[in-house]
Amino acid sequence: MVGEHDTVRLDIATRFLVPVEGDGPTILLVGAVHVGDEAYYTALQNFLDGQDLVLYEGVGGPGEGDIEPGTDEDKVLRTDRRLRFMASMVERYAEHVGEAPGALAALMANDGAVFDAVLMRKLRVASADAWGRAVNVEVDENAVITAVTSYGADGEAGGEGIDADLRYEVELDDDAAAPSLYDTIANVMGLSFQGERMLTDQATWVNSDMAWDDVAAELGEEDSATSAMLEGLLNGEDPNVVMVMKGMEQFLNASPMMRTMAKMMLVRTLGEAGPAQDAGAVLGEGFDRVIIDLRNQVVIDDLKALLDEGTDAESIAVFYGAGHMADMEERAFEQLGYEVVGGFWLPAVTLDLTQEGLSERELGLIRGQLGQ
């Protein structure tokens, strides 16, 4: 965390690692926070797009052990994510415009009022399945999109396994767009949500993480409620979580002072201790073992597989939450024989107190807390 007069800033590190002995690709440990400034995610995207391969976090991912992109199994997973994203964008369009579009062309032909340039880029990717075929839409009697589909690897209706049809329904009722934890924080604090700003569905981006079922199994029966709570919290699907998120939003929107204090707390918390470690301290050592230890080992094992196979990639980025990186760096040294040789910092969240709508009295109180 960096502090200047009337400014508080959170910087996140990227570390460059190379083999202690011999040759091998450069490994880049690219830390991230899940909510941050839009410019931060733009800089991250540009940097990561320049790497040969990106291993990224996302509980609920493949968990199949084969991290080389391009297989039909990988394309099924990518197509599933694209359809889910496309369905959510149809829902957003309907919410903003007042009616659902009748075709993908209508969805994508907007002037920026619904989707900005980042979301339009993701929409263009998601408009085709991972085999390069345009996704199909189902419409109802009112000629509005009700579902998006792909016919799988063979491109024909029906089939099993990799040839099975993939389908996501569009939910247009009032409860469909429940806010997630990160959505709520981002919206209230004027920040962006990583999941929406970063484009991960590319051939050189590969999910390297555990699946929710594996997380729940490792936590055990005693922590199954914790696993269910976390999934609902992150996805915004649990009615109780939705109620809490709405309450949080109302509370933080009560005044500029509330929002500013919450944003300062976010910057300080993320700057002084990684978010994953914080969660482990609150929810117990078993939780910390799963969230940090086991998930980090998945990444290290994937890196081992790439190095053993003699990958052609000259640069491999590991794009994970900043709280994972200290442990990840140790594992890379101990298990891969890699050491840090440099790096850089990116400003993730910048809080300018003079731009938060505070009164002179409120500004003076916060300056006092900052020791100014």
Side-chain angles (χ1 to χ4, degrees):
M1 183 177 70
V2 178
E4 300 174 0
H5 184 65
D6 288 340
T7 300
V8 179
R9 195 177 80 225
L10 173 67
D11 290 350
I12 302 296
T14 289
R15 296 283 187 261
F16 293 8
L17 287 73
V18 298
V20 175
E21 298 179 357
D23 298 324
T26 300
I27 296 176
L28 306 98
L29 300 184
V30 183
V33 289
H34 297 308
V35 289
D37 295 330
E38 184 174 341
Y40 166 63
Y41 293 119
T42 298
L44 272 180
Q45 187 79 61
N46 290 338
F47 176 72
L48 290 169
D49 282 348
Q51 310 312 315
D52 294 330
L53 186 64
V54 180
L55 307 185
Y56 68 94
E57 73 174 314
V59 173
E64 295 183 348
D66 179 10
I67 63 166
E68 289 290 358
T71 65
D72 278 326
E73 289 77 9
D74 177 76
K75 290 177 181 179
V76 168
L77 294 165
R78 291 186 186 280
T79 299
D80 182 77
R81 290 199 301 269
R82 292 181 186 186
L83 293 177
R84 182 186 307 181
F85 173 77
M86 185 64 74
S88 70
M89 291 301 99
V90 173
E91 293 162 10
R92 174 180 290 206
Y93 180 98
E95 181 181 352
H96 281 78
V97 176
E99 61 181 8
L104 290 184
L107 177 71
M108 300 176 69
N110 79 95
D111 58 1
V114 179
F115 308 121
D116 62 17
V118 174
L119 288 179
M120 283 303 301
R121 182 183 176 192
K122 297 179 78 169
L123 271 171
R124 285 191 290 271
V125 172
S127 65
D129 64 23
W131 292 276
R133 296 185 294 266
V135 302
N136 307 294
V137 299
E138 299 176 11
V139 298
D140 62 11
E141 64 276 7
N142 298 315
V144 298
I145 297 176
T146 58
V148 290
T149 65
S150 164
Y151 290 147
D154 62 359
E156 299 180 0
E160 298 180 357
I162 60 174
D163 296 327
D165 296 348
L166 300 162
R167 182 176 183 273
Y168 262 93
E169 292 187 3
V170 175
E171 301 288 347
L172 297 177
D173 54 54
D174 293 337
D175 296 327
S180 72
L181 170 66
Y182 295 128
D183 283 322
T184 300
I185 293 174
N187 291 337
V188 170
M189 297 185 183
L191 300 172
S192 296
F193 172 37
Q194 174 188 324
E196 188 169 272
R197 304 309 304 183
M198 298 299 295
L199 179 61
T200 64
D201 198 6
Q202 305 171 81
T204 56
W205 285 60
V206 180
N207 184 268
S208 179
D209 211 328
M210 298 174 68
W212 272 114
D213 289 346
D214 295 333
V215 169
E218 290 290 345
L219 288 172
E221 293 184 4
E222 294 182 359
D223 287 330
S224 60
T226 299
S227 176
M229 178 271 291
L230 283 172
E231 187 170 8
L233 189 66
L234 296 176
N235 297 332
E237 296 174 349
D238 187 294
N240 295 321
V241 171
V242 173
M243 181 173 64
V244 171
M245 291 299 99
K246 289 182 177 178
M248 179 190 296
E249 192 166 7
Q250 292 175 355
F251 176 77
L252 294 179
N253 276 328
S255 72
M257 184 70 167
M258 292 290 189
R259 291 195 302 274
T260 303
M261 292 297 292
K263 200 169 180 179
M264 282 182 57
M265 185 181 300
L266 175 72
V267 170
R268 281 182 164 174
T269 300
L270 296 180
E272 293 171 2
Q277 283 93 333
D278 283 351
V282 173
L283 298 173
E285 293 182 2
F287 182 84
D288 187 65
R289 181 183 69 88
V290 174
I291 295 303
I292 297 291
D293 297 348
L294 296 185
R295 293 174 64 206
N296 281 8
Q297 191 58 46
V298 169
V299 179
I300 296 299
D301 289 344
D302 285 344
L303 288 169
K304 282 181 183 177
L306 285 167
L307 297 176
D308 290 344
E309 293 167 6
T311 178
D312 292 332
E314 295 183 2
S315 62
I316 305 174
V318 175
F319 182 45
Y320 253 69
H324 289 259
M325 290 309 180
D327 178 81
M328 195 87 72
E329 185 178 316
E330 290 182 10
R331 291 171 191 260
F333 177 76
E334 295 172 357
Q335 300 183 42
L336 304 180
Y338 269 67
E339 63 180 351
V340 176
V341 294
F344 62 87
W345 296 79
L346 281 178
V349 181
T350 301
L351 173 60
D352 184 345
L353 300 177
T354 64
Q355 302 298 314
E356 295 296 319
L358 300 169
S359 67
E360 285 298 323
R361 177 179 175 277
E362 291 170 335
L363 185 57
L365 290 173
I366 294 180
R367 282 172 175 164
Q369 288 193 5
L370 294 175
Q372 297 180 357

